[in-house]
Amino acid sequence: MKPPAIVILGAGALDTARRIQSLYAGSQVHALQGRAQADVAYSEFGAHLRDLYARGTPIVALCAAGIVIRSIAPLLADKGVEPPVLAVAEDGSAVVPLLGGLAGVNVMAREMAAALAVAPAITTSGELRFGTCVLNPPDGYALADIGQGKRFVSDLLAGESTRIEGDAPWLDDAPLPRSASARLAIRVTPRAWDGRQDELVIHPRCVVVAVTGASADASTETAARLAARVRGVLDAHGLAPLSLAALLASSAQVTNAVLAEAASALNVPLRFADGEDDEDGEDGADSPASLLHAALRIPFETVHDDPQERIALALSPLALDPATIGRARGKLTVIGLGPGNAELMVPAARAALDEATDILGYETYVKMAGPLRATQRVHGTDNREEMQRARHAFELASAGRSVVMVSSGDPGVFAMAAAVLEALDTTQDAAQNAAWSAVELGIVPGVSAAMATAAQAGAPLGHDFCMLSLSDNLKPWAIIEKRLHHAAQADLVMAFYNPISRARPWQLDKALDIVREYRAAQTPVVLGRDIGRPGGTLRTVTLGELRPADVDMRTMVIVGSSTTRCFSKGAQWVYTPRWYE
Ligand code: SAH
């Protein structure tokens, strides 16, 4: 489940909000701008709630239930995915589940109420009577038909008893009215539902289909054909598509896009294993049955094995956790956090963080990326060992982990994306080359410090500009001087990254001397320090008055061009016009 958005209207609710937040890793507190400071600021309550709801984000609103209902009412007519929505009294004295019964709202209500030491206001009859939602089986199980499920629960509520056929360990302690001779039955089976109205059918995800020799010709059509073949084999054995736990393929095909698309069409994870060479196989490739043997660590029955058609099917007596089947394709995503506050991080970066198993980066940034789940491994390192960190990321990813490398701002601007690509580009070892190349590598952009600072100041980058790092750690100082001359001469606005540090005390002064040869003393200079972070400051000075003491390594320095100007209307603004004379 996605972590919930905990939405508050004022500072009075912050304590309760933080207590609820501690229950859900990755959750954030959203506060009305100007009323309270939290993780995310919003400006209009109703619009914000509707936006969250439309994205399927679970909502915990610390305000009157009526306000919540009225806010999302316009969206309720559309039947779509309904995320859990709860209203919680701001002092924590009441927890009211409102929507999302099938998405686990009552489970959340119970969790929060337990933490707040109150009784949840549960109104779902089935839940109240049977202590659990029969229609909401745990991970690893899927309800065959929700319409049938609702009828079934009404029958139970009307006083009927039920039998339980098959293994339903989560119902062991539920106070369900049971009887061995009951007309109604809860049936836990991988077999397809036959339409019988007096049975509630729940499918354990206990089937794995292995395929080999998938075409490398990536097209939606080939993927659809493969998915159809898998469904066909399930159907031939009377098995429900919902009982499929994973699609399994050979590690040699880890980069095959057809397999990935077919798995996503089947709505199951794609896993990989190294089978044994099949001596009879035409191309000597892994046989599908050998993949099943290599990937499954529990007893199972091979129900279907067709080496000719290159497909085999395993049935296990128990629901399977896909994470235990073979291994996943490793993933490495290099993300930018933006300047600091959560609102300026792009949603794709947040999504990558949420699904990561391992997070790497400079400790300060890893902290900015939180809150993380206790199960996520953090590999914090000193900022300087960048190549070593990049290699470590590939090691983890090529072992099947889902790795996120964090940078501040944009990962491609004086940050980790280039180091990661350099590590991949320059690895010489053949085995490493193969393993690292198979990793699903992606880079997610972020709001760079120059953009974040410029936006606060106005639009100093409104015309041609350049970004320069003044650090001579990785390039000779002579190159920096040369670029400064050229950039100043070309009348580009200049954004200085890494302007100064204890180890590089004199460089900024020298850089400013060069710029002053070309630019007037009145040229505006924007200084953004810790932009988007607590205690951030923004100042505009002139090139003439700027001193290195005004700048430290947490400062972004934007030096204007000959046309950059300042004015004060409502606030102080700096901009560089779009035109030139
Ligand atoms: N990848 C980062 C830049 C890393 S270089 C980005 O795209 O923003 C580090 C330099 O960036 C710092 O020395 C400082 O000049 C600048 N910087 C990074 N974060 C900043 C912030 N929040 N406020 C001001 N400057 C920042």
Side-chain angles (χ1 to χ4, degrees), residues 97-442:
L98 296 171
L99 292 167
L102 293 173
V105 75
N106 290 320
V107 177
M108 285 179 73
R110 286 183 204 282
E111 286 164 353
M112 281 186 239
L116 298 167
V118 296
I122 303 234
T123 54
T124 314
S125 321
E127 281 264 344
L128 289 172
R129 196 84 70 78
F130 312 130
T132 173
C133 186
V134 183
L135 301 182
N136 204 1
D139 281 352
Y141 297 85
L143 194 62
D145 185 278
I146 180 66
Q148 155 60 1
K150 286 184 177 166
R151 263 193 308 274
F152 188 90
V153 171
S154 321
D155 288 348
L156 284 186
L157 287 169
E160 291 212 42
S161 320
T162 181
R163 291 171 283 137
I164 296 182
E165 306 282 349
D167 259 349
W170 71 96
L171 292 177
D172 283 352
D173 299 325
L176 281 169
R178 293 164 205 246
S179 148
S181 60
R183 176 183 72 91
L184 299 181
I186 295 176
R187 186 175 296 282
V188 183
T189 174
R191 310 269 153 218
W193 179 46
D194 64 5
R196 287 180 56 179
Q197 297 289 333
D198 52 1
E199 289 197 346
L200 178 79
V201 173
I202 294 170
H203 300 303
R205 296 192 182 272
C206 59
V207 175
V208 178
V209 172
V211 291
T212 58
S215 159
D217 151 42
S219 78
T220 307
E221 223 185 305
T222 15
R225 234 179 296 140
L226 177 56
R229 254 174 69 208
V230 173
R231 283 195 205 99
V233 171
L234 289 166
D235 192 49
H237 293 276
L239 296 166
L242 281 172
S243 62
L244 188 63
L247 186 64
L248 183 65
S250 158
S251 299
Q253 292 203 296
V254 69
T255 58
N256 184 308
V258 172
L259 284 166
E261 207 174 319
S264 114
L266 292 163
N267 206 12
V268 292
L270 175 61
R271 309 287 298 183
F272 299 93
D274 300 300
E276 283 152 32
D277 278 357
D278 175 12
E279 280 161 30
D280 306 329
E282 282 161 32
D283 50 8
D286 296 337
S287 78
S290 77
L291 292 179
L292 293 172
H293 284 280
L296 291 166
R297 287 157 217 168
I298 49 153
F300 64 93
E301 184 192 345
T302 308
V303 179
H304 183 97
D305 182 11
D306 188 342
Q308 220 68 46
E309 285 292 313
R310 299 164 162 180
I311 195 160
L313 185 155
L315 182 62
S316 119
L318 297 169
L320 292 163
D321 175 358
T324 64
I325 303 168
R327 65 172 190 82
R329 177 180 183 189
K331 202 168 170 177
L332 171 55
T333 311
V334 191
I335 67 163
L337 298 173
N341 82 29
E343 264 185 291
L344 292 181
M345 190 195 303
V346 307
R350 183 76 255 163
L353 278 169
D354 288 345
E355 73 159 55
T357 55
D358 295 74
I359 293 142
L360 274 85
Y362 182 43
E363 267 172 49
T364 320
Y365 302 149
V366 173
K367 275 194 198 120
M368 268 165 50
L372 301 169
R373 292 188 300 277
T375 51
Q376 291 180 303
R377 270 197 241 156
V378 173
H379 311 258
T381 42
D382 186 87
N383 207 11
R384 289 178 184 279
E385 315 152 8
E386 284 167 353
M387 287 311 292
Q388 199 182 316
R389 200 189 308 154
R391 292 193 197 99
H392 186 191
F394 274 111
E395 299 286 314
L396 291 165
S398 55
R401 318 263 320 158
S402 179
V403 182
V404 162
M405 170 78 84
V406 296
S407 280
S408 78
D410 179 89
V413 176
F414 311 120
M416 285 310 294
V420 163
L421 290 172
E422 187 182 333
L424 179 61
D425 186 25
T426 58
T427 177
Q428 298 296 334
D429 181 273
Q432 215 168 52
N433 210 355
W436 292 10
S437 306
V439 166
E440 185 181 348
L441 177 62

